[in-house]
Amino acid sequence: MKKISLLLILSLGFKVTLLTGQIPFFQQYHPLNKNQPVEVNALLQDSKGFVWFGTNKGVFRFDGIQYKRYADSDSLVNSHVTALAEDSLGRIWVGHQDGQLSYLENGKFHIFETREGLAVAPVSDILFDRKGNMWFSTKNDGLYYYLNDRLYRLDQEEGLPDLFIYDLFEDARGNVWAGTDGGVAICTLNDDRKVNITVLDSDDGLPDIIIKKIEQLHGDTLSLATEDEGILNYNINTRELRPLLNSPWPYGSISDFVVKENQIWISTPSKGLVVYDRRTNHLKLFNESSGLSLLSVNTLMMDSEGNVWSGSKTGLSRTSGDAVEHIESLDPAKDINILALAVDREDRIWFSTSEGLFMRTHHHNGTAIVTEKLQGTSFRNSTIISLYADDQGYIWAGLYGNGLLKVHPETNQIKHFNKELRNGNILGITGKGNIVWVATLGGSTSIHYDQGKYSITNYSSQDGLSSDFIYQVFIDSQGRTWFGTDGKGVTMLDEKGFHRYEEGLESKVVYSLSEDVNKNIWVTSQDNGVYHFDGVKFIAEPELRLRDNSIQSLIADVQGNLIAVHNFGIDVFDINRKKMRYWGEETGIRDKFPNLNAISKDKYGQVFIGTSKGIIKFSLNNDHALSIPKPTIDLVSIYDEAVDISKPLTLSYNENNVTVHYLGFWYQNSENLNYLYKLENYDLEWISTRNQEVTYSRLPPGDYVFKVKVSDTEDFTHAHESEITFSISPPFWRTGTFYFFIIGLVVVSGYSLMKFRERKLVEDKLVLEARVEERTKEIQQKTEEIQAQNEEIMAQAEEIQGINENLEMLVKQRTAELEKKNRALEEYAFINAHKLRSPVASILGLLNLLAKIDQKDDTKVIREHLQQSADKLDAVVRSITKAIEKADNKYS
């Protein structure tokens, strides 16, 4: 194996400093349980945000809170997983120890089968190129690619340098790079489905041809991880090859690495995690963290938030990076309650505890040494409550009640100031050039020093300060000196004298002052947060939303961030973008309470904070991405039955009990997320919740858009939003189609009826015409008959008329005769009646007389018979008379 000479390495002229003893917080995860470890072989974050990890006990999907496991007892073909990938359709592909492949679709894993068969060795990596073709590599069975439903295998006959392949990478030109035990195979897929292979090996300058990982560093420069020589940077255009370090790689084999802005995080199975900072050229080694072993790391992954995940033989861990690092090992200091600290120009950390003053030094061999200072002096046990490192390297220590010390960092020579000062309680120290300012309980003092000579000036309320109780002094970029007071706001000293500012400050107790990159002055007010100076007064920044308004320290970094430290952690406000970021328990800041103004910044812009439990190093040099939680809609169910949301969702009218399950991807602090959701066309306002599920019952038919936002705070101003559209169809009798059908049916029916009526009318008309014609004929015939009859009748009428006239004449004649006879008869009857009446009356009169005479029986009989006969005759006469009278009346 070809080696690069040590002389060449040294000629690069880089200085490397190995730092240990300060470690970021690593969150450990236990997908099964703490007593059942899993070996993590592959890591993947899919397009939705889920983190997948392939283990020797199946595949796990993780959302930050819950795990979903797939094993061979479910649908997985083999539980020993060695590779993971996602295709353009969102399917998760799994490579197995036995060479098989499977893919997840619609919640179930399916075996990938081809006519040509599959590999017979463990799958090491899976890659989908920009054209959608699948490539997968194996450990000792070559390289495969799947094109147009056919599987092709590449081995040494096609030019592959070795069958043992670790990693696949696609460059900007579409070439697939394979890291093998024999160098790099650069594969170019031609239009004829054939692959041309170019080999990069020792003949091209590789000092180690075992290539474990390939990743893009920047532009056309790729980083190649080797077995023994660390990382090599290769320029595709110039073919220039350079080692990452200017010295031999001391950490052995590399299993994986990721690039995080200016850093490269490297996993070494034997040493742990190595972090190389390209900006400062420093290395840091992490091999354990709070009981977590970082040895035997198999794979690394950086997610969309900038978190670095590491999978090892014993499990899974995550860190948000080295933005927050913890320094807790401070031996010989037993008390790790840091009262004050400062970082000098040699990057040494000076800190004080109840035990005195200490200095922490990082050495090139990776060790960190803490040295107790002021030993053998009368100040060894003095309580130091403020520290400052000046531009010349001296350390200024403020004592509680005993003045000020100027300490030489190497010789420990001390210059003590006490009587020269108005007050010996030094709460704060600052300076610029060869001027030092101190804040005391009796005003403020400036010390001008030059070649051992000191000029001291004391200031009090009588000289223009608004208060003698000064918490902090700050010198801005314009040379103005600012004083934070207890109860009197802020005082500023410039060439014109002292100026007092209280307006706008709700509390006049000011603890800290700072200046941002835009030259704005910021202050912290007791229990009232942060304000900035507008030239006349102090005003609150509405976009600056703090988790705690009791700020202990305030400082601005070179990236344009304002850093506020309080008991809940660290709040960072991006001055230019007006956005907040937060660090807290998720980065290991638990029960670490910062002390007042125990804060300092080194020449790289890294901030060091003194807390009740050690030192926190905070830096955004390698964490510029302003990531915020990302929402996703994971599941939609209808009456507790999950539905496929990958396709347009149209529900029937009776599928109106809809449950939406949503997630917020924020692995830094997944359990403390806030949500806003709204169902458009149903909810009138956004609804706030911490739940991850909402159910809508008996939704009416219509079109709906469910939207959800997520935030790690109660501020949703810049929150991401996810949505899903679905519709509920009305019942068929309330659909437009049905209405159209009914209208159409009515129209057609009406039209048909109209046509039918028309046809019926035509038919009826024809029938009627026929009938009319027939009837007309009948009428004509009848008319003719009637006419004939009429003529006949007329003739008969004429004949009848003649007969009638004859009859009338006869009747008249007969009537005249009858009248004559009747008159004669009447006369006869009258005469007879009157003639008979008189004798009848006489007979009746005689009979009455006889009745009055006594008579014999025989005479009585005779008389009675005569009487009866006379009565009968009288009745006849009377009837004749009545008949005559009636006849007279009738014919009169």
Side-chain angles (χ1 to χ4, degrees):
M1 187 180 296
K2 189 174 180 180
K3 303 288 183 181
I4 296 180
S5 67
L6 178 61
L7 179 61
L8 174 61
I9 296 175
L10 293 176
S11 67
L12 297 176
F14 291 105
K15 176 184 177 182
V16 177
T17 305
L18 181 64
L19 305 179
T20 59
Q22 57 194 50
I23 57 176
F25 175 73
F26 286 86
Q27 176 68 53
Q28 303 177 55
Y29 297 100
H30 305 282
L32 297 178
N33 56 64
K34 291 185 178 180
N35 299 321
Q36 191 176 0
V38 294
E39 180 179 358
V40 180
N41 302 311
L43 290 167
L44 169 72
Q45 185 176 33
D46 66 19
S47 55
K48 291 183 178 179
F50 289 101
V51 169
W52 297 78
F53 43 100
T55 75
N56 61 337
K57 296 179 181 179
V59 176
F60 294 84
R61 191 191 76 169
F62 185 47
D63 61 19
I65 299 177
Q66 295 181 337
Y67 303 91
K68 182 175 179 59
R69 183 188 182 192
Y70 299 89
D72 53 6
S73 59
D74 302 315
S75 57
L76 200 61
V77 60
N78 188 312
S79 288
H80 200 138
V81 176
T82 55
L84 292 170
E86 181 184 18
D87 64 16
S88 59
L89 301 178
R91 297 179 298 184
I92 303 300
W93 288 76
V94 176
H96 299 277
Q97 178 73 15
D98 59 3
Q100 293 192 81
L101 293 175
S102 56
Y103 61 92
L104 180 66
E105 189 172 38
N106 296 328
K108 185 178 180 180
F109 273 98
H110 306 270
I111 301 175
F112 177 65
E113 297 178 318
T114 66
R115 296 188 300 269
E116 298 79 17
L118 289 174
V120 294
V123 177
S124 57
D125 198 9
I126 306 172
L127 181 145
F128 289 90
D129 64 23
R130 64 193 58 195
K131 295 181 179 180
N133 303 313
M134 181 176 69
W135 302 69
F136 65 93
S137 58
T138 68
K139 294 182 177 180
N140 211 31
D141 192 30
L143 177 63
Y144 291 80
Y145 64 98
Y146 187 69
L147 179 64
N148 295 332
D149 297 328
R150 181 178 177 183
L151 187 66
Y152 299 86
R153 179 176 180 267
L154 301 175
D155 56 20
Q156 291 164 326
E157 291 185 2
E158 285 79 17
L160 203 64
D162 197 277
L163 296 179
F164 204 103
I165 304 173
Y166 298 94
D167 185 54
L168 297 176
F169 172 80
E170 183 183 18
D171 64 21
R173 298 174 175 83
N175 299 316
V176 175
W177 294 53
T180 78
D181 268 351
V184 179
I186 305 172
C187 305
T188 303
L189 180 62
N190 299 320
D191 294 336
D192 60 357
R193 306 180 185 179
K194 300 297 182 180
V195 173
N196 294 332
I197 298 178
T198 303
V199 177
L200 180 65
D201 56 15
S202 56
D203 294 336
D204 302 286
L206 283 179
D208 187 349
I209 60 172
I210 300 178
I211 306 301
K212 308 292 283 293
K213 178 67 181 287
I214 305 171
E215 189 63 74
Q216 185 172 15
L217 183 64
H218 59 78
D220 290 324
T221 300
L222 304 182
S223 292
L224 314 177
T226 67
E227 176 73 16
D228 298 317
E229 296 296 326
I231 292 180
L232 307 172
N233 294 330
Y234 179 76
N235 188 287
I236 298 177
N237 295 325
T238 65
R239 298 191 176 184
E240 181 183 5
L241 192 67
R242 296 177 61 125
L244 180 68
L245 305 181
N246 62 348
S247 59
W249 177 254
Y251 305 111
S253 175
I254 296 175
S255 58
D256 202 353
F257 72 92
V258 293
V259 178
K260 177 179 169 67
E261 297 194 18
N262 291 319
Q263 293 179 328
I264 301 177
W265 288 65
I266 308 165
S267 63
T268 64
S270 59
K271 299 295 183 180
L273 284 179
V274 178
V275 179
Y276 173 70
D277 193 318
R278 294 185 291 142
R279 187 181 59 86
T280 63
N281 201 37
H282 285 167
L283 280 172
K284 291 182 287 189
L285 176 63
F286 307 134
N287 48 34
E288 62 179 20
S289 172
S290 301
L292 171 68
S293 174
L294 297 175
L295 302 176
S296 302
V297 174
N298 298 321
T299 181
L300 293 175
M301 180 193 73
M302 186 177 71
D303 66 19
S304 58
E305 300 171 22
N307 298 302
V308 176
W309 298 73
S310 58
S312 69
K313 295 185 182 301
T314 57
L316 181 70
S317 64
R318 176 197 58 81
T319 178
S320 59
D322 65 346
V324 177
E325 292 183 344
H326 304 270
I327 305 173
E328 299 175 351
S329 178
L330 299 173
D331 190 62
K334 305 302 180 184
D335 181 9
I336 57 174
N337 181 24
I338 310 301
L339 302 178
L341 64 78
V343 181
D344 66 18
R345 61 185 183 180
E346 301 298 328
D347 295 330
R348 295 172 295 196
I349 302 174
W350 294 75
F351 64 93
S352 64
T353 71
S354 61
E355 299 171 323
L357 181 64
F358 299 87
M359 180 183 70
R360 187 175 187 272
T361 306
H362 306 284
H363 294 288
H364 294 286
N365 61 3
T367 61
I369 297 177
V370 176
T371 305
E372 183 179 359
K373 309 300 288 187
L374 306 182
Q375 295 187 66
T377 70
S378 60
F379 302 104
R380 178 180 180 181
N381 296 321
S382 298
T383 302
I384 297 173
I385 58 176
S386 56
L387 287 169
Y388 168 70
D390 67 17
D391 296 340
Q392 299 179 21
Y394 288 95
I395 302 300
W396 297 75
L399 307 179
Y400 185 74
N402 198 21
L404 178 68
L405 302 179
K406 178 186 177 185
V407 181
H408 192 287
E410 308 298 340
T411 65
N412 288 336
Q413 182 182 356
I414 297 174
K415 171 66 177 176
H416 183 212
F417 302 90
N418 191 11
K419 294 181 180 181
E420 304 92 331
L421 309 177
R422 291 195 77 252
N423 188 280
N425 296 290
I426 311 302
L427 303 183
I429 310 172
T430 190
K432 192 172 186 179
N434 58 351
I435 298 178
V436 169
W437 283 85
V438 297
T440 76
L441 294 178
S444 183
T445 300
S446 68
I447 302 175
H448 184 279
Y449 57 96
D450 184 20
Q451 297 180 355
K453 295 181 181 181
Y454 302 90
S455 175
I456 299 174
T457 305
N458 291 305
Y459 298 93
S460 67
S461 57
Q462 297 178 355
D463 302 300
L465 289 174
S466 58
S467 172
D468 286 333
F469 201 121
I470 308 298
Y471 280 113
Q472 188 184 28
V473 184
F474 177 76
I475 303 173
D476 67 15
S477 59
Q478 302 177 46
R480 299 176 298 182
T481 305
W482 298 78
F483 306 87
T485 74
D486 182 24
K488 294 294 183 179
V490 177
T491 300
M492 186 267 286
L493 174 64
D494 60 12
E495 66 278 2
K496 295 180 181 180
F498 288 96
H499 309 271
R500 301 180 181 183
Y501 302 101
E502 297 183 24
E503 185 180 357
L505 296 174
E506 187 171 345
S507 171
K508 306 302 187 291
V509 178
V510 177
Y511 288 141
S512 306
L513 302 102
S514 187
E515 182 182 21
D516 65 25
V517 292
N518 299 325
K519 303 186 184 304
N520 295 311
I521 300 299
W522 296 79
V523 302
T524 62
S525 176
Q526 182 185 31
D527 298 331
N528 281 285
V530 178
Y531 298 80
H532 75 270
F533 186 62
D534 68 354
V536 177
K537 62 183 183 301
F538 285 95
I539 60 175
E541 171 58 57
E543 299 295 331
L544 201 160
R545 297 178 175 87
L546 301 169
R547 290 175 295 173
D548 188 351
N549 285 327
S550 298
I551 306 300
Q552 301 300 313
S553 299
L554 185 70
I555 199 168
D557 66 11
V558 295
Q559 279 89 28
N561 299 304
L562 190 68
I563 301 169
V565 184
H566 50 69
N567 287 343
F568 290 99
I570 302 171
D571 293 357
V572 177
F573 180 60
D574 188 312
I575 302 294
N576 297 319
R577 290 188 284 183
K578 305 293 184 185
K579 294 182 180 180
M580 296 293 304
R581 297 181 67 184
Y582 305 101
W583 280 263
E585 288 190 6
E586 71 280 1
T587 57
I589 305 177
R590 297 187 179 97
D591 300 327
K592 291 187 176 182
F593 304 118
N595 288 308
L596 185 63
N597 290 334
I599 192 167
S600 184
K601 185 167 56 177
D602 67 9
K603 60 187 177 184
Y604 303 110
Q606 301 177 122
V607 176
F608 295 82
I609 304 164
T611 76
S612 59
K613 294 183 179 180
I615 300 171
I616 294 176
K617 191 221 76 174
F618 181 75
S619 172
L620 295 179
N621 291 339
N622 298 297
D623 195 0
H624 297 152
L626 190 63
S627 61
I628 56 178
K630 175 185 175 183
T632 189
I633 296 172
D634 179 43
L635 179 69
V636 174
S637 57
I638 310 299
Y639 290 106
D640 297 328
E641 290 290 333
V643 296
D644 184 7
I645 59 176
S646 63
K647 301 175 183 178
L649 194 57
T650 301
L651 309 175
S652 63
Y653 74 95
N654 57 353
E655 295 178 321
N656 58 353
N657 189 292
V658 180
T659 299
V660 183
H661 184 269
Y662 45 85
L663 300 170
F665 291 113
W666 187 239
Y667 293 100
Q668 300 177 30
N669 197 0
S670 300
E671 297 182 354
N672 292 311
L673 293 176
N674 299 302
Y675 297 91
L676 283 180
Y677 69 85
K678 180 180 181 182
L679 183 62
E680 290 190 351
N681 201 23
Y682 189 82
D683 293 327
L684 298 178
E685 303 290 341
W686 287 90
I687 300 172
S688 176
T689 184
R690 292 181 69 90
N691 297 327
Q692 294 181 322
E693 187 175 273
V694 60
T695 298
Y696 291 93
S697 302
R698 302 181 67 180
L699 284 173
D703 297 324
Y704 298 97
V705 180
F706 180 83
K707 295 182 177 181
V708 61
K709 297 180 181 180
V710 62
S711 175
D712 58 330
T713 68
E714 294 182 356
D715 176 25
F716 289 84
T717 304
H718 304 288
H720 287 312
E721 183 178 299
S722 182
E723 66 178 43
I724 186 171
T725 301
F726 65 93
S727 61
I728 298 178
S729 302
F732 75 92
W733 60 85
R734 292 179 56 189
T735 62
T737 303
F738 181 77
Y739 294 150
F740 180 77
F741 171 76
I742 293 299
I743 294 172
L745 183 62
V746 171
V747 171
V748 171
S749 300
Y751 180 78
S752 300
L753 181 61
M754 182 181 68
K755 289 297 183 181
F756 173 77
R757 293 289 294 172
E758 288 180 356
R759 288 196 301 271
K760 183 68 174 173
L761 289 173
V762 171
E763 292 175 357
D764 291 347
K765 180 181 178 183
L766 294 176
V767 171
L768 182 60
E769 288 177 350
R771 289 182 178 177
V772 167
E773 184 178 359
E774 181 181 357
R775 190 66 175 168
T776 302
K777 291 180 179 179
E778 292 178 355
I779 292 172
Q780 289 177 350
Q781 184 178 356
K782 292 290 185 183
T783 301
E784 291 175 355
E785 292 178 356
I786 291 171
Q787 187 174 2
Q789 292 176 354
N790 286 336
E791 291 176 354
E792 183 179 354
I793 289 171
M794 291 295 293
Q796 292 177 353
E798 290 177 355
E799 182 179 354
I800 290 171
Q801 186 175 4
I803 293 172
N804 286 337
E805 290 176 352
N806 291 328
L807 287 175
E808 288 178 356
M809 183 180 65
L810 291 176
V811 169
K812 287 179 179 180
Q813 291 175 358
R814 191 66 177 168
T815 300
E817 292 176 0
L818 288 175
E819 287 178 352
K820 289 179 179 181
K821 289 180 180 182
N822 285 336
R823 289 190 187 97
L825 182 61
E826 286 177 357
E827 291 176 358
Y828 172 79
F830 180 78
I831 293 170
N832 287 334
H834 284 82
K835 287 180 177 183
L836 286 177
R837 183 69 181 169
S838 177
V840 170
S842 297
I843 293 171
L844 288 175
L846 292 176
L847 288 176
N848 286 331
L849 292 176
L850 287 177
K852 294 177 179 181
I853 301 173
D854 293 330
Q855 299 173 356
K856 293 179 179 181
D857 293 333
D858 294 334
T859 306
K860 289 182 178 180
V861 172
I862 295 171
R863 185 189 58 81
E864 291 174 356
H865 282 291
L866 289 173
Q867 182 68 41
Q868 291 176 354
S869 298
D871 290 335
K872 290 179 182 178
L873 181 62
D874 182 60
V876 170
V877 172
R878 289 181 181 273
S879 62
I880 293 172
T881 301
K882 289 180 179 179
I884 294 171
E885 291 176 351
K886 288 182 178 179
D888 291 339
N889 293 331
K890 181 177 180 182
Y891 295 104
S892 61

